[in-house]
Amino acid sequence: MKPSRRVSARLGAIAPSATLAVDSKAKALKAAGRPVIGFGAGEPDFPTPDFIVEVAAAAAKDPRNHRYTPATGLPELKKAIAAKTLRDSGYEIDPANVIVTNGGKQAVFQAFASIVDPGDEVLLPAPYWTTYPEAITLAGGTPVEVFAGADQGYLVTVEQLEAARTENTKALLFCSPSNPTGAVYTEEQTKAIGEWALEHGIWVVTDEIYEHLVYDDAVFTPILRVVPELADQTIVVNGVAKTYAMTGWRVGWMVSPADVTKAASNFQSHLTSNVSNVAQRAAIAALEGGLEAVHEMRAAFDRRRKTMVEMLRAIDGVVCPTPTGAFYAYPSVEGLIGRTIGGAEITSSADLATVILEQAEVAVVPGEAFGPSGFLRLSYALGDEDLVEGVTRIQKLLAQ
Ligand SMILES: Cc1ncc(COP(=O)(O)O)c(C=O)c1O
């Protein structure tokens, strides 16, 4: 067998997750005793609220949860997802159109696997979450990046989408609040994009996983609330990970029209079957337990967000739009490219992230993980003291 044929071309083409790569490099340095501060992780630093963990502990002892259950999820959880959608998004869905997945990530993969064929193009607003292009490519599609920089608050316009549209455009990925930029589309912008997609018969995959993490006067707008007619060509992706500090529990879901739900259910029945029943019971408790815990976390994130943005803006060469959603700041560092920092010539944001890790012992994710070079992503989901210490180290390094 030729060495080049051992791994399939399909999987061989998948890039490693750059966010995980930064995280593992930082962890290796930490394990070697270096005082690394990590801004790389995309998860709340809080533990899962007790009332959720207690339900899970009881569920582990209940033999009902020791067996296979329906591949698409426990009926009680699907009902809770429908009730939560009505509460948070203001429209009704049929629990039969819900599939419970192993995290929002599986929902993203299944969404594209369900609607994309080879030759199809998917419009991908950039900077984008690093998993989307891989999911699109693996489904045989071609991601078409539509870039919005710091000057436009990382928000693409309908004009930009229209300019990128071809007869092969099958779908649009829409993520608001956004990972990695923290940008949030207004109701007006969301409606305009939804109406444009409706007019051109373009599927929308809307990732709403950060719906509850909005700040200042930003408001999360569910695209199906403002353009309900789009329901027949929309797949909603969501999950409990970010809202309830449940990243490790692996419960997400997709909501889609009946034909897509059927196709994705068949796929999941062969791929993973049901999500762990203990985790599903925990998710029911989370969704039925109200939003008090997330409001507390949001207050902490908001405080840290303000500190981080102020400190980043104080650095010469850094431009940081105010993120109003999720828990990331996404400064442009284009002003630092071409400089020599800590003895190293900086030719890209990847270079800069390396120098920051090696010399300031702070882990940040370079823009290359999310599209064009020239940016850094810093998560502010970490303790206040570490946050200040980490950004202070970056300030000192870049002031040299
Ligand atoms: C934009 C976005 N969507 C979906 C996910 C998936 O989250 P999970 O698979 O943990 O539910 C993430 C996680 O980082 C994300 O940032």
Side-chain angles (χ1 to χ4, degrees), residues 42 102-106 108 129 132 175 177-179 207 209-210 237-242 246-248 250-252 328 377:
N102 280 279
K105 220 172 228 185
Q106 186 179 9
V108 168
W129 180 42
Y132 299 138
C175 179
S178 157
N179 175 7
D207 185 338
I209 204 146
Y210 292 99
V237 171
N238 207 329
V240 294
K242 319 286 176 173
M246 291 179 71
T247 47
R250 313 310 303 134
V251 183
Y328 308 101
R377 190 192 77 173

Side-chain angles (χ1 to χ4, degrees), residues 378-391:
L378 292 86
S379 161
Y380 48 82
L382 76 170
D384 298 67
E385 278 180 27
D386 275 358
L387 185 149
V388 171
E389 165 67 17
V391 188

Side-chain angles (χ1 to χ4, degrees), residues 354-394:
T354 302
V355 169
I356 290 174
L357 181 57
E358 288 174 356
Q359 302 198 22
E361 304 194 308
V362 174
V364 297
V365 188
E368 284 82 347
F370 312 107
S373 179
F375 305 87
L376 298 179
R377 190 192 77 173
L378 292 86
S379 161
Y380 48 82
L382 76 170
D384 298 67
E385 278 180 27
D386 275 358
L387 185 149
V388 171
E389 165 67 17
V391 188
T392 303
R393 287 192 207 166
I394 297 175

Side-chain angles (χ1 to χ4, degrees), residues 287-339:
L287 296 180
E288 291 181 345
L291 294 167
E292 209 175 298
V294 64
H295 291 158
E296 278 171 29
M297 286 191 277
R298 185 171 64 188
F301 291 146
D302 191 18
R303 185 178 67 238
R304 299 165 183 178
R305 174 184 72 106
K306 288 178 178 146
T307 306
M308 178 177 270
V309 170
E310 196 185 316
M311 291 181 73
L312 288 172
R313 283 186 177 160
I315 303 172
D316 178 42
V318 172
V319 174
C320 188
T322 304
T324 53
F327 38 61
Y328 308 101
Y330 204 71
S332 161
V333 292
E334 288 159 299
L336 297 172
I337 309 297
R339 290 197 199 171

Side-chain angles (χ1 to χ4, degrees), residues 32-393:
R34 309 256 301 262
V36 173
I37 293 181
F39 290 117
E43 58 183 348
D45 57 321
F46 300 100
T48 302
D50 272 348
F51 74 93
I52 299 172
V53 178
E54 278 159 19
V55 168
K61 294 199 166 167
D62 182 344
R64 275 186 315 156
N65 299 317
H66 300 174
R67 307 275 173 256
Y68 291 128
T69 51
T72 58
L74 295 171
E76 302 93 309
L77 178 52
K78 291 196 204 180
K79 253 196 219 160
I81 289 167
K84 166 254 171 291
T85 304
L86 185 59
R87 176 192 70 190
D88 299 336
S89 298
Y91 59 86
E92 287 191 24
I93 58 165
D94 183 343
N97 291 342
V98 175
I99 302 178
V100 179
T101 55
N102 280 279
K105 220 172 228 185
Q106 186 179 9
V108 168
F109 265 85
Q110 288 184 179
F112 289 116
S114 303
I115 59 172
V116 169
D117 276 318
D120 288 342
E121 295 173 0
V122 178
L123 299 182
L124 181 58
Y128 47 75
W129 180 42
T130 189
T131 288
Y132 299 138
E134 303 298 351
I136 295 164
T137 308
L138 206 54
T142 305
V144 176
E145 289 181 31
V146 182
F147 177 69
D151 55 329
Q152 51 187 103
Y154 303 120
L155 299 167
V156 297
T157 61
V158 166
E159 291 69 32
Q160 286 179 290
L161 295 173
E162 179 59 18
R165 186 173 66 84
T166 72
E167 59 181 18
N168 296 323
T169 304
K170 182 74 181 277
L172 163 72
L173 184 285
F174 187 69
C175 179
S176 175
S178 157
N179 175 7
T181 65
V184 182
Y185 286 83
T186 64
E187 176 165 338
E188 207 181 8
Q189 291 163 334
T190 306
K191 189 162 191 270
I193 289 173
E195 285 172 348
W196 169 84
L198 184 66
E199 181 189 343
H200 298 290
I202 292 170
W203 280 90
V204 176
V205 176
T206 174
D207 185 338
E208 306 188 341
I209 204 146
Y210 292 99
E211 64 181 324
H212 291 293
L213 297 176
V214 285
Y215 316 98
D216 297 341
D217 54 1
V219 178
F220 160 67
T221 306
I223 198 163
L224 285 184
R225 181 172 60 72
V226 286
V227 191
E229 310 89 311
L230 202 58
D232 202 38
Q233 60 195 69
T234 295
I235 303 175
V236 180
V237 171
N238 207 329
V240 294
K242 319 286 176 173
T243 303
Y244 302 99
M246 291 179 71
T247 47
W249 297 79
R250 313 310 303 134
V251 183
W253 59 86
M254 56 186 278
V255 185
S256 49
D259 50 355
V260 167
T261 306
K262 184 164 177 241
S265 303
N266 291 343
F267 182 43
Q268 182 165 317
S269 74
H270 295 292
L271 189 68
T272 54
S273 301
N274 64 280
V275 170
S276 153
N277 291 317
V278 171
Q280 289 196 70
R281 299 277 175 207
I284 296 170
L287 296 180
E288 291 181 345
L291 294 167
E292 209 175 298
V294 64
H295 291 158
E296 278 171 29
M297 286 191 277
R298 185 171 64 188
F301 291 146
D302 191 18
R303 185 178 67 238
R304 299 165 183 178
R305 174 184 72 106
K306 288 178 178 146
T307 306
M308 178 177 270
V309 170
E310 196 185 316
M311 291 181 73
L312 288 172
R313 283 186 177 160
I315 303 172
D316 178 42
V318 172
V319 174
C320 188
T322 304
T324 53
F327 38 61
Y328 308 101
Y330 204 71
S332 161
V333 292
E334 288 159 299
L336 297 172
I337 309 297
R339 290 197 199 171
T340 299
I341 294 170
E345 198 196 334
I346 304 299
T347 61
S348 64
S349 44
D351 282 355
L352 184 62
T354 302
V355 169
I356 290 174
L357 181 57
E358 288 174 356
Q359 302 198 22
E361 304 194 308
V362 174
V364 297
V365 188
E368 284 82 347
F370 312 107
S373 179
F375 305 87
L376 298 179
R377 190 192 77 173
L378 292 86
S379 161
Y380 48 82
L382 76 170
D384 298 67
E385 278 180 27
D386 275 358
L387 185 149
V388 171
E389 165 67 17
V391 188
T392 303
R393 287 192 207 166

